[in-house]
Amino acid sequence: MKKRIAILICLFAVSLPVVPIWGQDTNNNEQNNNLTAGVTKEIDLIIGDKNIEEQIDIISKHQLDKIQEANVKIDALDKTDKNEWFKNYKAIQEEYVDYIDPDETIYDYFSENELNLLFKIVETEVRGDGNFNEKVNVASVIFNRMKHDDFPTTMNDVLTEYPQFSSYTSGAYKNVTVTETTILACEYAFQIEDTTNGALYFDSTNGNSWADRNREFLFKDYVGHSFYR
């Protein structure tokens, strides 16, 4: 049993939570023992009564098979609707979390207060539970600014810099209810792709703006926002 547990720890370290060794209380020890016992039982079902070398081969193959299975499922997703694709993509990542490294997300980098402000600004710019692509466009501009030398580097400073976002300066962002679509759009813009090809500005003035006169026009989206870089 000791050899089997050693192999398990080496091969499945990324799947097991890190728990303190020194100063553990009784509850932590009991939880850790239960977790190890549960995962070991699962591995027992896979490897059966094999020698150590065979165990390693079987566990490694099982891991690779699961990774390949996840990739096949992702490749088979319908890409025509980005919103639905992203929901299904996230579900697959969650299903195979024990075998693949999940993407880094906005929740790994930004505080709850920063994200709440981000969601409200994007919601104010493109309101309602639809228009996923247009919400992603707005979120993409915000993330692009954070990476550009001409703008602040923090989420809060980008969103509150005067007079960049009228939805903030007017206070309109305080009166919106954030939809699930907006949250997903912000996640998508950070996690998957910039849908604006590097845009740093957007407006809805139909050509009557500083950006329109001084920056490269890229495109106009479905809700009437024009994007520039």
Side-chain angles (χ1 to χ4, degrees), residues 172-215:
Y173 75 98
K174 298 176 182 179
N175 302 315
V176 298
T177 299
V178 174
T179 60
E180 179 188 2
T181 305
T182 291
I183 295 173
L184 286 171
C186 293
E187 293 175 352
Y188 183 97
F190 180 86
Q191 191 173 333
I192 304 299
E193 64 171 332
D194 165 20
T195 55
T196 67
N197 195 23
L200 294 169
Y201 306 87
F202 69 92
D203 62 39
S204 56
T205 63
N206 293 316
N208 185 26
S209 71
W210 176 90
D212 184 75
R213 294 187 296 271
N214 294 277
R215 290 293 181 262

Side-chain angles (χ1 to χ4, degrees), residues 124-126 134 138 145 164-167 201-212 217 219-228:
T124 308
E125 296 291 347
V126 185
E134 288 70 28
V138 171
R145 287 188 172 194
Q164 297 300 318
F165 291 95
S166 61
S167 51
Y201 306 87
F202 69 92
D203 62 39
S204 56
T205 63
N206 293 316
N208 185 26
S209 71
W210 176 90
D212 184 75
F217 172 79
F219 67 96
K220 188 173 184 178
D221 69 14
Y222 183 76
V223 298
H225 282 145
S226 296
F227 291 81
Y228 313 83

Side-chain angles (χ1 to χ4, degrees), residues 59-117:
I59 294 173
S60 298
K61 185 177 185 306
H62 177 70
Q63 185 90 359
L64 291 173
D65 287 345
K66 286 295 184 179
I67 293 172
Q68 183 178 12
E69 185 178 302
N71 286 331
V72 168
K73 286 187 176 183
I74 290 172
D75 290 341
L77 292 177
D78 185 353
K79 300 179 177 65
T80 55
D81 185 329
K82 288 183 179 180
N83 191 2
E84 288 303 312
W85 177 91
F86 188 50
K87 289 179 182 179
N88 292 328
Y89 174 79
K90 288 180 62 177
I92 292 172
Q93 284 217 326
E94 183 176 351
E95 179 184 356
Y96 291 88
V97 68
D98 291 333
Y99 306 101
I100 62 176
D101 291 330
D103 296 344
E104 292 183 319
T105 72
I106 54 177
Y107 307 103
D108 297 317
Y109 283 87
F110 305 109
S111 69
E112 182 177 353
N113 288 337
E114 288 176 312
L115 292 177
N116 284 338
L117 182 56

Side-chain angles (χ1 to χ4, degrees), residues 24-43:
Q24 288 180 324
D25 58 29
T26 304
N27 289 335
N28 279 341
N29 282 326
E30 182 178 353
Q31 291 173 359
N32 192 36
N33 289 337
N34 289 340
L35 176 62
T36 302
V39 178
T40 303
K41 182 177 180 181
E42 180 181 349
I43 299 303

